[in-house]
Amino acid sequence: MTSEELKNLKADKIVDARGTACPGPLLAAKKAIAEVSSGGIMEVLSSDEGTKNDIPKWCQKMNYDYLGVAEEDSYIRLFLKKA
Amino acid sequence: MSIELEKQIQELQKKVESLEKGTKDQLSMVVFSGDLDKILAAMIISTGATAMDTKVKLFFTFWAISALRDPKKKAKGKNFMEKMFGMMLPRGMRKIKLSKMNMAGMGTSMIKGIMKKHKVASIEELFAIAAELGVEINICEMSMNLMGFKKEEMIDYPNLKICGVATFLADASESKIQLFI
């Protein structure tokens, strides 16, 4: 998905992990995904650069669909779909 | 479906089952070092692994056991040597030091300050998260005895177990990932 498409995406759950460092965003995502039903979309906000690589890897391991990343000025928004 | 194909599927299913039995989605780690930086690394890897649904079994041995001491607890019935060791070794995770640049404790308190600034979880927080996420901690009995520590002076942690090398080896042999820190 393009950055524009992602930005217009309506997430079922938004996890704000901004300000936390590794493994904070990952742990926050793990905790929050339990509240998302299958087929639902989750958005992870992070200011930690490494999360951009970590979330796709996490999705791969957990069998979630990684949809992409949209960059804002001081943070990133990562989108994924629970299978 | 042809009988041939069905047979092939059955054989494949059997193979998959035996492969799954061979190694689990599990991480076994020997935590040997008593250095703050190395135990931090061990705890970050452990909590991260549980976030990826990987079961984690830690095997604390030698210097690392000092980090599991509870400074508020005291054990009775120690002999002279055990008391000496107890005095010389760090009393818990708050007292352990960096492996490099400790500079008489200055480096360690500096790194703790920097960690806070970067919002990195402290070692106490990481142990609390690990407990919540079900990271298992096993303590090597032999080295605990060598250091003169007793189980009564270890931290409150769910299912803290005392074990021997066979426990580690059995756990490690069925783990996909094995590490030594």
Side-chain angles (χ1 to χ4, degrees):
Chain A
M1 274 198 214
T2 66
S3 190
E4 273 314 302
E5 280 175 313
L6 287 172
K7 279 179 185 175
N8 292 327
L9 209 59
K10 185 89 189 75
D12 300 292
K13 172 92 193 160
I14 298 174
V15 194
D16 192 349
R18 285 175 292 181
T20 66
C22 177
L26 198 61
L27 297 174
K30 166 73 178 162
K31 208 172 215 175
I33 196 81
E35 295 163 33
V36 180
S37 44
S38 87
I41 289 170
M42 187 167 87
E43 178 181 348
V44 183
L45 312 182
S46 174
S47 50
D48 182 58
E49 183 76 22
T51 315
K52 215 195 295 187
N53 293 319
D54 272 21
I55 292 290
K57 289 276 182 210
W58 179 67
C59 290
Q60 198 184 329
K61 170 82 203 298
M62 308 290 286
N63 280 328
Y64 303 142
D65 274 337
Y66 175 66
L67 303 175
V69 58
E71 308 216 7
E72 299 288 340
D73 285 342
S74 60
Y75 63 97
I76 49 173
R77 300 163 63 187
L78 299 127
F79 296 86
L80 59 109
K81 191 174 173 185
K82 193 171 179 178
Chain B
M1 214 192 298
S2 76
I3 298 167
E4 277 283 296
L5 204 59
E6 228 171 297
K7 247 188 181 171
Q8 273 188 338
I9 288 173
Q10 272 179 357
E11 271 171 27
L12 279 172
Q13 273 174 336
K14 266 187 196 162
K15 267 192 184 166
V16 168
E17 266 173 35
S18 75
L19 282 173
E20 279 175 343
K21 263 188 204 158
T23 51
K24 290 185 206 161
D25 188 3
Q26 182 171 289
L27 159 67
S28 283
M29 184 164 16
V30 177
V31 189
F32 179 94
S33 167
D35 297 324
L36 171 66
D37 38 13
K38 293 185 187 172
I39 295 185
L40 273 172
M43 296 317 286
I44 289 172
I45 296 169
S46 300
T47 50
T50 54
M52 298 183 92
D53 275 353
T54 302
K55 185 148 185 45
V56 182
K57 298 191 172 179
L58 302 179
F59 187 74
F60 273 69
T61 185
F62 276 89
W63 311 113
I65 302 174
S66 290
L68 300 177
R69 294 172 83 191
D70 188 329
K72 294 192 291 289
K73 293 184 190 170
K74 276 215 166 124
K76 282 182 194 139
K78 285 195 182 185
N79 64 29
F80 177 71
M81 276 301 252
E82 287 168 342
K83 277 183 193 155
M84 287 288 282
F85 261 81
M87 263 160 57
M88 283 186 291
L89 290 166
R91 208 177 271 273
M93 60 185 78
R94 294 184 73 124
K95 293 279 195 268
I96 57 176
K97 302 203 156 32
L98 283 180
S99 64
K100 287 192 168 61
M101 288 171 60
N102 180 47
M103 301 182 289
M106 249 166 47
T108 298
S109 52
M110 255 158 65
I111 203 84
K112 283 183 181 170
I114 296 169
M115 278 168 66
K116 215 174 203 173
K117 210 171 142 199
H118 285 254
K119 303 245 171 72
V120 176
S122 69
I123 189 148
E124 293 98 326
E125 285 167 338
L126 282 166
F127 270 92
I129 296 167
E132 190 192 325
L133 295 174
V135 170
E136 271 182 35
I137 295 183
N138 297 302
I139 305 176
C140 164
E141 185 181 20
M142 187 273 280
S143 47
M144 193 174 78
N145 291 339
L146 277 185
M147 309 265 162
F149 298 150
K150 308 253 185 241
K151 200 190 173 199
E152 307 91 85
E153 57 184 312
M154 296 292 128
I155 54 167
D156 294 319
Y157 189 92
N159 300 317
L160 195 75
K161 277 193 268 257
I162 309 292
C163 68
V165 70
T167 303
F168 167 70
L169 289 171
D171 288 347
S173 70
E174 57 182 33
S175 296
K176 269 189 193 159
I177 315 169
Q178 300 116 12
L179 293 172
F180 185 101
I181 293 188

